[in-house]
Amino acid sequence: MDGTVLVADDDRTIRTVLTQALTRAGCKVHATSSLTTLMRWVGEGKGDVVISDVMMPDGNGLEMLPKIAEDRPGLPVIVISAQNTIMTAIQAAEAEAYDYLPKPFDLPDLMKRTARALETRPQGRNAVMESDGRPDELPLVGRTAVMQSLYRVVARVMNTDLPVLIWGESGTGKSLIARAIHDFSDRRNLPFITAASTDLQDLEGPARLLARVKGGTLLIEEIGDLPAELQARLVHMMDTPGEYQPRFLATSQSDLNDAMEAGQVRKDLYYRLSGATLTVPALRERVDDIPVLADYFLAKAEAAGGAHRQLSAQAGEIFRNYSWPGNVRQLENAIRRLGLTSRALEISASEVEQVLGAQPDLEPMRAAGNTEKLGTSVERHLRRYFDLHGNMLPPAGLYARILREVEAPLIEIALEATGGNQAKCADLLGINRNTLRKKITDLDIEVTRRRKLM
């Protein structure tokens, strides 16, 4: 890498590690714990890329982005933050930060993004942060990679006119995602209307809905549960929206591709709604977020007049090992009950066992789900890919693209399982070590042992 990087973070360890890593990569580095100093450097014309924390002793890094864009149009800013909520990701996107990474971040990943920023240095970043009295925090919190990826996609689709289909199990927060898309979009001052099946029962129902939404956002929950007649009315409504075109969002607990093949969902409705598809992960798929969510719900209970409680280490471990069939909603209810019934400020393992003991476990569901063969799952996804192209064929080169999609995660997971030992990984995969090295290079797979920074 070649260029000068400005680093602003109040954590001395992070400043030291970034300075050393960037210097070894060939960059010049100026590091500070002060936003005031950072802004002075920017005003003086120093730096080709900025890496800045959000919460600093003398201000908020996100609030500096408009000023940086005004003083130095085209200067890429990479935001890093321990505030791992969808709010932070959306604010970074609104302010047109070049990139956003949650803490703890992956150092090699940050280095790659910095190198990309130095190469591209995009122009025209003149964003203005808006303050309109929106809530400081949403109950969509999580620092896991799968949630941060979801936040980034939400931020990208937020101000488009694409219909969005939000898929996930019950209790994962699909409606919250839909509400966030509206509340942080350009349509936030327009109505947000959730359509019920009764709104579509008669012929005039769609017209009344459109009159209520007035160009805002229309959410259709559990699209797969609607009768065929009402689905047809939705298709007609989307094709003839009238004077004010609303934003259409839809949620579903079931796989609509399977429902479409079974004749339960109209193909024309599915294709109209799936302009962008967001998958909200189940809680068991992001267990590292359980302590974050538990702290959030405990703080929420305390703010409502409860005592300042916390989970014991043993209680937290039980929470992590539970399968959570009701997902985040079930976790919130469990925390609420513990907040009311716990005898001490530290919630014990026995109290958690008592609350969770009466609730359903997911193991039978998991066992049933594991009966599907890998080939069947791959076939289902490939059919969906072809279906999304309608009567047209997908772009040429499909074989190589599919192989790459399968090979990359296979090798990454195998490397992780073998601790990054390429000899063991090659043996596990049953391929030659030189072949493995070539694939790692061709697929751009990161093999450096990951170092997590707080």
Side-chain angles (χ1 to χ4, degrees):
M1 289 190 287
D2 180 27
T4 300
V5 181
L6 308 181
V7 176
D9 198 297
D10 61 343
D11 188 316
R12 178 180 296 178
T13 301
I14 290 181
R15 294 198 306 273
T16 301
V17 170
L18 289 180
T19 298
Q20 292 175 348
L22 290 165
T23 301
R24 284 196 299 269
C27 294
K28 295 179 181 179
V29 183
H30 297 287
T32 180
S33 61
S34 166
L35 282 178
T36 303
T37 302
L38 172 66
M39 295 307 295
R40 177 169 55 81
W41 288 342
V42 170
E44 292 171 353
K46 294 180 179 177
D48 300 302
V49 172
V50 174
I51 300 176
S52 176
D53 194 5
V54 173
M55 302 307 296
M56 298 282 282
D58 55 346
N60 184 306
L62 287 174
E63 294 175 355
M64 297 296 106
L65 290 179
K67 177 63 174 171
I68 292 174
E70 180 182 344
D71 291 348
R72 298 276 302 282
L75 178 63
V77 181
I78 299 174
V79 174
I80 55 177
S81 174
Q83 306 296 311
N84 300 309
T85 72
I86 192 172
M87 179 72 174
T88 310
I90 289 175
Q91 283 183 328
E94 283 186 330
E96 297 193 30
Y98 176 81
D99 214 332
Y100 160 71
L101 278 164
K103 293 181 180 180
F105 57 79
D106 181 47
L107 182 58
D109 184 29
L110 177 57
M111 295 294 288
K112 276 187 176 181
R113 293 169 191 254
T114 304
R116 196 177 303 127
L118 285 168
E119 290 171 0
T120 58
R121 304 182 195 183
Q123 301 296 315
R125 298 183 175 274
N126 292 306
V128 178
M129 286 287 289
E130 297 185 26
S131 177
D132 53 9
R134 293 176 299 195
D136 292 333
E137 191 171 29
L138 293 170
L140 291 165
V141 296
R143 60 171 62 115
T144 52
V146 66
M147 285 303 291
Q148 293 299 322
S149 176
L150 175 61
Y151 294 166
R152 291 191 186 95
V153 177
V154 168
R156 286 198 295 269
V157 304
M158 184 174 57
N159 283 319
T160 69
D161 292 327
L162 282 174
V164 178
L165 178 61
I166 307 168
W167 182 89
E169 295 178 7
S170 176
T172 51
K174 299 185 295 295
S175 296
L176 289 173
I177 291 287
R179 187 76 211 202
I181 291 174
H182 172 80
D183 286 348
F184 294 93
S185 74
D186 294 337
R187 300 177 189 253
R188 55 183 169 269
N189 294 321
L190 297 171
F192 177 89
I193 302 296
T194 301
S197 59
T198 53
D199 293 321
L200 300 168
Q201 290 292 347
D202 60 82
L203 292 175
E204 298 302 320
R208 287 195 296 267
L209 268 178
L210 291 174
R212 289 170 57 199
V213 74
K214 296 178 182 177
T217 302
L218 182 62
L219 171 65
I220 305 107
E221 292 189 310
E222 296 309 321
I223 194 74
D225 293 343
L226 290 178
E229 181 183 1
L230 303 190
Q231 292 183 30
R233 287 179 185 164
L234 271 178
V235 171
H236 180 71
M237 180 172 66
M238 294 184 73
D239 287 345
T240 55
E243 183 180 359
Y244 300 106
Q245 173 76 44
R247 174 78 176 276
F248 290 96
L249 308 178
T251 66
S252 175
Q253 292 183 36
S254 59
D255 187 321
L256 289 188
N257 190 65
D258 291 344
M260 184 175 62
E261 292 178 355
Q264 298 169 350
V265 173
R266 292 173 59 108
K267 289 186 177 182
D268 51 2
L269 177 60
Y270 174 75
Y271 293 139
R272 281 165 174 77
L273 287 172
S274 57
T277 301
L278 305 181
T279 301
V280 186
L283 188 54
R284 63 183 175 276
E285 296 170 354
R286 53 181 188 115
V287 292
D288 288 341
D289 284 335
I290 290 177
V292 180
L293 287 161
D295 288 344
Y296 173 85
F297 292 129
L298 286 169
K300 184 177 177 182
E302 181 183 353
H308 177 67
R309 302 187 191 280
Q310 60 184 8
L311 295 173
S312 68
Q314 295 81 2
E317 194 61 28
I318 293 172
F319 266 48
R320 288 175 60 90
N321 291 329
Y322 184 64
S323 51
W324 299 108
N327 292 294
V328 179
R329 185 179 297 132
Q330 183 188 10
L331 173 63
E332 180 178 15
N333 290 336
I335 291 289
R336 184 182 299 169
R337 180 175 172 184
L338 287 164
L340 293 173
T341 61
S342 181
R343 294 181 295 274
L345 294 181
E346 185 174 79
I347 299 171
S348 68
S350 61
E351 289 173 320
V352 170
E353 288 173 344
Q354 184 177 359
V355 167
L356 296 183
Q359 302 194 34
D361 193 80
L362 196 64
E363 293 308 318
M365 192 185 304
R366 283 179 174 168
N370 287 338
T371 59
E372 183 179 57
K373 294 182 179 180
L374 176 61
T376 303
S377 178
V378 171
E379 180 185 2
R380 178 160 48 84
H381 285 282
L382 287 175
R383 288 190 181 278
R384 175 184 297 177
Y385 179 73
F386 272 84
D387 287 341
L388 289 174
H389 288 82
N391 295 326
M392 299 179 63
L393 291 174
L398 178 62
Y399 185 79
R401 290 200 305 275
I402 295 299
L403 281 186
R404 184 183 180 92
E405 287 290 326
V406 175
E407 274 191 314
L410 173 61
I411 293 174
E412 287 174 346
I413 292 171
L415 281 168
E416 182 179 344
T418 55
N421 187 310
Q422 293 186 29
K424 288 183 179 180
C425 182
D427 185 58
L428 174 65
L429 294 171
I431 61 177
N432 182 276
R433 187 174 179 182
N434 291 331
T435 302
L436 174 62
R437 285 175 174 169
K438 185 176 185 305
K439 289 185 178 295
I440 288 173
T441 300
D442 292 344
L443 297 170
D444 193 26
I445 294 173
E446 178 59 60
V447 296
T448 305
R449 186 178 297 277
R450 294 188 167 187
R451 178 175 184 176
K452 296 292 184 182
L453 299 175
M454 297 303 293

